[in-house]
Amino acid sequence: MAGKATMLASAQYQARNHHSSVNQPIYVDFKNGNIYLWADNFAIFNSELLDDKLGTKWRNKWLKLAIDDGTLPKGFGSELIKSHFAALDATFDAAPISQFDYVAPNTLASLSPKLPTHQLPTMLASNQVIRRVQSAESYEQFYQDYMRIVYERISQRYPELVKESEPDEAEIDDTNTDKFTSKALVQKMLVMIKRDIDSGYEAIKEDATLANAETQELYGFDKRGQLKWQHLRSEIPSKTASDKNVVIDVLQQYSAISAKDMVFPNLPSDVQVPNASNSIDMREYGRELMQYYRDGNGTAMGKMMFSVMPMAKEKFTAIE
């Protein structure tokens, strides 16, 4: 791997008289264990709700989120990525062939319900399209099998991360800030995954509306057989006959990392790659914001939030 991944998440919501959208650049530095989010999308909410002194400090900046503080075993990130692909391979190999069929690219526009108009140009440019349709129960089982394989690989490779815990202990322990580390977070995540695996898909069985729902996935390939995009459509049936079903469309596009192309062409050239000068370290910022509130400053909303989080100060202080 190149040691990095870049993503541009685009979320859109459309109703009869409303259409809104937001783009969120994401930069993942696997080698150093950092995730960077473009700060502009969070600045206005943070300024209004928590930090009334923020001003324009986050303009053209990244937010740095350190996902590995050095407490995780060496090579954990690489092993997690390998486990992800191994789980995908195994679950797809085990899937019934009857769930898959070919779709002529020029017929995508006529699928019902219709695909989003703004997503179609990318999809229509494909040389080959494969469709997979699953029931809600089948899709949940697919997810459960995927998570089980990931869990088994990680727990076998790093047994020290498998922490025995009662079902009601899956939250971070606020009373012991020494354990608020990357390792502790991964341990808690594994506890929750194990709980999810053990519970199975009982919720799907109990909810009749979800039991009748279907999930459709489309995969677009170029002439060399490489996956260029993946489209997921989920439909959630309404509770009443008078309401329309909720349809969620997610399109993921894949492209190789290129040194000659700008990663995020709409961003200024000097912030294409996050660094110390153009990013805000959220751990340091959190400690500064906590001190700001300890001094009696802050917004009314922020004071209310921190008043019900008595351990927040110790959390930010303990994270180095």
Side-chain angles (χ1 to χ4, degrees):
M1 296 186 63
K4 65 179 180 180
T6 56
M7 292 165 276
L8 180 61
S10 176
Q12 303 203 20
Y13 174 78
Q14 186 168 354
R16 176 187 291 182
N17 298 317
H18 178 85
H19 182 219
S20 58
S21 64
V22 61
N23 294 326
Q24 176 57 57
I26 304 171
Y27 191 106
V28 185
D29 181 353
F30 289 106
K31 291 183 178 179
N32 296 309
N34 296 321
I35 295 179
Y36 295 87
L37 304 176
W38 190 243
D40 278 10
N41 290 331
F42 303 94
I44 184 172
F45 299 105
N46 185 48
S47 179
E48 292 183 352
L49 299 178
L50 295 177
D51 192 350
D52 52 9
K53 62 176 177 52
L54 184 64
T56 59
K57 295 178 183 178
W58 284 11
R59 184 174 183 270
N60 289 341
K61 297 284 187 179
W62 293 91
L63 299 180
K64 174 187 172 183
L65 305 174
I67 56 178
D68 185 1
D69 58 6
T71 59
L72 289 172
K74 185 177 181 180
F76 173 80
S78 176
E79 181 60 32
L80 182 62
I81 294 172
K82 293 177 182 177
S83 298
H84 161 70
F85 286 113
L88 283 183
D89 287 344
T91 47
F92 271 98
D93 285 345
I97 297 178
S98 59
Q99 293 181 351
F100 300 87
D101 69 322
Y102 289 102
V103 176
N106 58 5
T107 65
L108 289 173
S110 61
L111 291 182
S112 181
K114 291 185 176 298
L115 296 171
T117 304
H118 69 279
Q119 294 179 346
L120 273 175
T122 297
M123 303 166 75
L124 291 171
S126 308
N127 288 80
Q128 187 179 74
V129 177
I130 295 176
R131 173 172 55 188
R132 183 184 189 184
V133 179
Q134 296 174 269
S135 65
E137 185 173 328
S138 174
Y139 183 79
E140 181 65 17
Q141 185 62 59
F142 176 81
Y143 169 77
Q144 293 285 336
D145 291 341
Y146 165 84
M147 295 306 297
R148 175 180 51 78
I149 294 172
V150 171
Y151 177 85
E152 290 176 351
R153 283 180 60 104
I154 294 298
S155 60
Q156 291 173 6
R157 179 70 176 82
Y158 303 107
E160 67 271 27
L161 294 178
V162 180
K163 180 181 179 181
E164 295 298 330
S165 177
E166 294 300 322
D168 60 351
E169 293 180 352
E171 300 299 327
I172 296 297
D173 183 5
D174 287 344
T175 63
N176 192 342
T177 56
D178 292 337
K179 294 184 178 181
F180 195 75
T181 63
S182 297
K183 181 179 179 180
L185 292 174
V186 170
Q187 287 177 322
K188 293 296 183 182
M189 181 182 67
L190 291 174
V191 169
M192 289 187 285
I193 290 175
K194 183 63 165 58
R195 180 201 299 178
D196 193 33
I197 294 172
D198 292 340
S199 65
Y201 46 88
E202 295 303 321
I204 295 292
K205 294 180 179 179
E206 295 174 2
D207 193 323
T209 59
L210 290 178
N212 295 326
E214 285 189 339
T215 297
Q216 172 185 276
E217 291 183 274
L218 299 169
Y219 304 89
F221 301 87
D222 62 16
K223 61 183 178 181
R224 295 177 298 173
Q226 291 187 331
L227 180 65
K228 304 303 291 184
W229 56 264
Q230 176 180 346
H231 183 274
L232 172 65
R233 159 163 288 175
S234 301
E235 185 169 358
I236 304 175
S238 63
K239 296 292 184 180
T240 62
S242 60
D243 294 329
K244 291 184 178 181
N245 295 347
V246 175
V247 177
I248 301 175
D249 290 286
V250 178
L251 176 65
Q252 299 180 60
Q253 300 181 61
Y254 305 98
S255 59
I257 294 176
S258 174
K260 65 179 181 179
D261 296 329
M262 296 183 72
V263 177
F264 303 108
N266 291 332
L267 299 184
S269 59
D270 59 337
V271 295
Q272 291 288 311
V273 178
N275 54 50
S277 63
N278 62 26
S279 62
I280 306 297
D281 189 318
M282 290 305 293
R283 292 174 184 265
E284 295 180 3
Y285 173 75
R287 287 191 288 267
E288 293 173 0
L289 185 62
M290 185 57 59
Q291 183 61 52
Y292 184 64
Y293 275 86
R294 281 202 298 264
D295 294 339
N297 304 305
T299 66
M301 175 65 72
K303 291 178 180 178
M304 182 183 70
M305 291 176 59
F306 288 130
S307 68
V308 297
M309 297 169 58
M311 298 305 296
K313 177 180 69 175
E314 288 80 3
K315 281 184 179 181
F316 284 120
T317 303
I319 299 175
E320 297 296 338

